[in-house]
Amino acid sequence: MEAMERIIRLHIEKLPEGVYLATSEDVQGLVTEAPSLQEAIEWGRENARLLLELQGRKDAGLEFRESLEVPVVIAA
């Protein structure tokens, strides 16, 4: 099956810490932090693709509503 192309708008902001934050009103839950502008665009695009793929799967085991909380583990 051929992938469908979609245009989304990324909002990119440089934070005081020197990193770039990419979000989008077009893709629920998209928040990506990157060390450079180019990486913020690339990572934002890839994360948007993954989120849209998950939202489109009926068998993904996730229900997207107005908001979603997902626990994640990070190394501090």
Side-chain angles (χ1 to χ4, degrees):
M1 182 195 305
E2 189 175 318
M4 183 175 104
E5 290 186 350
R6 181 172 176 179
I7 296 174
I8 65 159
R9 292 167 295 160
L10 287 178
H11 173 79
I12 300 176
E13 165 180 2
K14 187 170 184 180
L15 300 179
E17 299 83 13
V19 297
Y20 294 83
L21 182 68
T23 59
S24 178
E25 291 184 13
D26 299 325
V27 180
Q28 178 184 351
L30 178 63
V31 178
T32 301
E33 189 177 291
S36 72
L37 177 58
Q38 181 177 348
E39 288 171 309
I41 294 168
E42 291 171 6
W43 297 358
R45 178 187 297 126
E46 179 62 14
N47 288 337
R49 186 192 65 76
L50 292 170
L51 283 167
L52 290 170
E53 182 180 315
L54 281 174
Q55 290 172 1
R57 285 189 189 173
K58 295 186 191 258
D59 63 341
L62 295 174
E63 289 184 34
F64 281 80
R65 300 181 185 169
E66 291 300 313
S67 66
L68 176 67
E69 291 185 32
V70 179
V72 295
V73 177
I74 60 167

